[in-house]
Amino acid sequence: MNIPRKLRKGDRVAIVSLSSGLLGEAYCSHNIEIGVKRLQAYGLEAVFMPNALKGMDYLKAHPDARAQDLKQAFTDDSIAGIICAIGGDDTYRLLPYLMEDEEFILAVKEHPKLFTGFSDTTINHLMFYRLGLRTYYGPNFICDLGEIANEMIPYSKKAFESYLEGSVYDQIVPSEIWYEERTDFSRAAIGTDRTAHEEKRGYELLQGADLFGGELLGGCLESLYDILSGTRYADQKEICRKYHIFPDRKEWEGKLLFVETCEEKPSPDLVREELLALKAEGIFDAVRGIIVGKPQDESYYDEYKEVYLEVIQNRKLPIVYNVNFGHAIPRCALPYGAMAHVDMTEKKISLNYN
């Protein structure tokens, strides 16, 4: 895979709204102010791409504008990295504009740039995986850099700092604290801390060997399901299939699947349906292990565990649960295609970026 260089002081980083246009709404203006200041503290300059702040209605109606922002970020030699504003639910609509644009494809391959985000950004990650670019399932602009507490969440801050030159981020361990999602995101709530809880479980080995490894591949479970099922948008399955966005069974061989559930807190019955869709693709017979993210607010914590064991029905396949990535706070950064070694005797995940 093409591995982008890390960010350096003086670099310009593009902020893109590839899914929801939330960042352009007036009620997110304080997130912009906070996020820009935090980037400046790292010596980085935030560059909001031309359409990134045009709001939810405009960007919903203009996937071409969102795609143009991403293309411009890759073709602009002054841009060193790309940070997604937030997730959403329809970034698949960018695929026809990007995957049929030879200039964009060439720019991605010849000028690899750091790219980070999570949730619906799963579709973008899988697109880049298809194009041979390593990306990071990790912090985004609104949720992390724009966090309205006085400081970034320390665990998530360390994940973002892994993108900076000189940083070392070769081990991921359980966070000692987990945080509830906010109910008030307004300007009036600036400076307030999230409700915090001591992490009493850490990583849990649901089944399988204590030691296992493989290259990382995965994303948000709901996004993966939407690609396969087309239940959210009628044309999504067809479009994703046309551009081969979902890896085929052979590509899953020997990989570590990482999956996590979204902020919608899907019911255990829906998670069962989603996992059955992955099972039908033969994924659980191909991968070497599964890393499951902590559910946001620990919703359905025990119920999800039962569903994973019930659906997979392969007692030899290692499953590690309650890992800090994706929608639950705090979050780490997982590099697509990097080798990960899970050691449950020490409850840690080691990363090899080569």
Side-chain angles (χ1 to χ4, degrees):
M1 299 190 79
N2 287 330
I3 302 175
R5 71 166 177 83
K6 292 196 174 188
L7 302 176
R8 305 165 183 157
K9 286 187 177 181
D11 276 343
R12 304 173 82 232
V13 292
I15 313 301
V16 293
S17 296
L18 303 182
S19 300
S20 167
L22 185 70
L23 189 64
E25 300 298 321
Y27 50 77
C28 278
S29 61
H30 55 294
N31 298 103
I32 294 175
E33 296 164 10
I34 293 169
V36 167
K37 288 180 180 178
R38 288 185 175 142
L39 285 173
Q40 289 174 340
Y42 289 119
L44 303 173
E45 177 186 351
V47 180
F48 294 90
M49 301 311 288
N51 298 294
L53 301 179
K54 289 188 176 179
M56 296 180 71
D57 290 343
Y58 180 85
L59 291 184
K60 185 72 172 179
H62 293 88
D64 56 319
R66 292 181 262 161
Q68 180 58 38
D69 280 356
L70 186 59
K71 177 180 177 179
Q72 185 172 331
F74 270 95
T75 56
D76 184 344
D77 290 339
S78 74
I79 298 293
I82 302 164
I83 303 173
C84 289
I86 198 167
D89 67 10
D90 74 339
T91 195
Y92 80 93
R93 296 172 64 204
L94 279 60
L95 293 171
Y97 301 100
L98 298 171
M99 293 299 282
E100 296 188 23
D101 187 326
E102 291 300 326
E103 184 181 9
F104 169 74
I105 293 172
L106 186 64
V108 170
K109 292 182 176 182
E110 293 191 349
H111 304 285
K113 298 182 182 185
L114 188 141
F115 179 89
T116 181
F118 64 96
S119 191
D120 188 42
T121 307
T122 296
I123 310 297
N124 308 119
H125 286 302
L126 294 179
M127 177 190 73
F128 286 125
Y129 187 81
R130 175 69 53 214
L131 297 177
L133 175 67
R134 170 166 295 163
T135 57
Y136 297 85
Y137 197 81
N140 68 27
F141 188 84
I142 293 179
C143 303
D144 299 289
L145 290 161
E147 161 62 49
I148 61 177
N150 288 328
E151 301 289 341
M152 286 178 66
I153 302 296
Y155 189 94
S156 302
K157 180 180 181 181
K158 183 178 180 181
F160 180 79
E161 290 175 346
S162 73
Y163 303 152
L164 306 179
E165 189 174 66
S167 65
V168 176
Y169 193 75
D170 56 6
Q171 285 192 353
I172 299 172
V173 297
S175 172
E176 296 178 355
I177 300 171
W178 67 271
Y179 304 83
E180 294 181 20
E181 183 56 287
R182 290 182 180 275
T183 56
D184 185 357
F185 296 87
S186 71
R187 186 176 288 272
I190 292 176
T192 61
D193 291 328
R194 292 174 179 266
T195 300
H197 300 270
E198 178 187 357
E199 177 57 72
K200 297 182 179 179
R201 302 179 179 94
Y203 299 165
E204 290 192 60
L205 182 65
L206 302 189
Q207 64 175 35
D210 290 332
L211 304 173
F212 60 98
E215 294 180 357
L216 292 167
L217 183 58
C220 177
L221 183 57
E222 285 64 54
S223 295
L224 297 174
Y225 177 66
D226 290 343
I227 294 174
L228 296 172
S229 68
T231 52
R232 191 178 296 264
Y233 292 102
D235 61 345
Q236 183 170 1
K237 182 177 180 179
E238 178 183 352
I239 289 175
C240 289
R241 179 182 293 164
K242 179 178 180 179
Y243 300 108
H244 308 288
I245 295 304
F246 194 88
D248 62 30
R249 188 190 185 285
K250 185 176 180 181
E251 292 175 281
W252 289 103
E253 291 285 349
K255 300 294 193 297
L256 290 191
L257 167 67
F258 65 88
V259 286
E260 52 97 18
T261 46
C262 72
E263 80 286 353
E264 295 172 355
K265 301 176 182 177
S267 70
D269 285 342
L270 179 54
V271 170
R272 180 180 294 105
E273 185 176 336
E274 293 168 341
L275 291 175
L276 285 170
L278 298 187
K279 187 174 186 177
E281 296 294 313
I283 291 175
F284 302 139
D285 294 324
V287 298
R288 290 181 180 172
I290 302 175
I291 300 173
V292 183
K294 186 182 195 68
Q296 190 179 71
D297 295 339
E298 292 198 340
S299 297
Y300 300 117
Y301 186 93
D302 291 320
E303 292 88 341
Y304 286 168
K305 290 196 295 185
E306 294 175 5
V307 170
Y308 273 90
L309 295 174
E310 171 195 326
V311 171
I312 291 172
Q313 292 184 338
N314 176 358
R315 299 298 296 178
K316 294 182 179 180
L317 182 64
I319 305 174
V320 170
Y321 188 75
N322 199 37
V323 180
N324 307 104
F325 68 92
H327 288 80
I329 305 161
R331 60 184 59 90
C332 68
L334 296 176
Y336 279 79
M339 180 64 71
H341 298 278
V342 180
D343 182 347
M344 284 301 292
T345 64
E346 297 187 14
K347 288 195 173 183
K348 68 179 183 180
I349 301 171
S350 300
L351 300 174
N352 184 340
Y353 293 85
N354 297 324

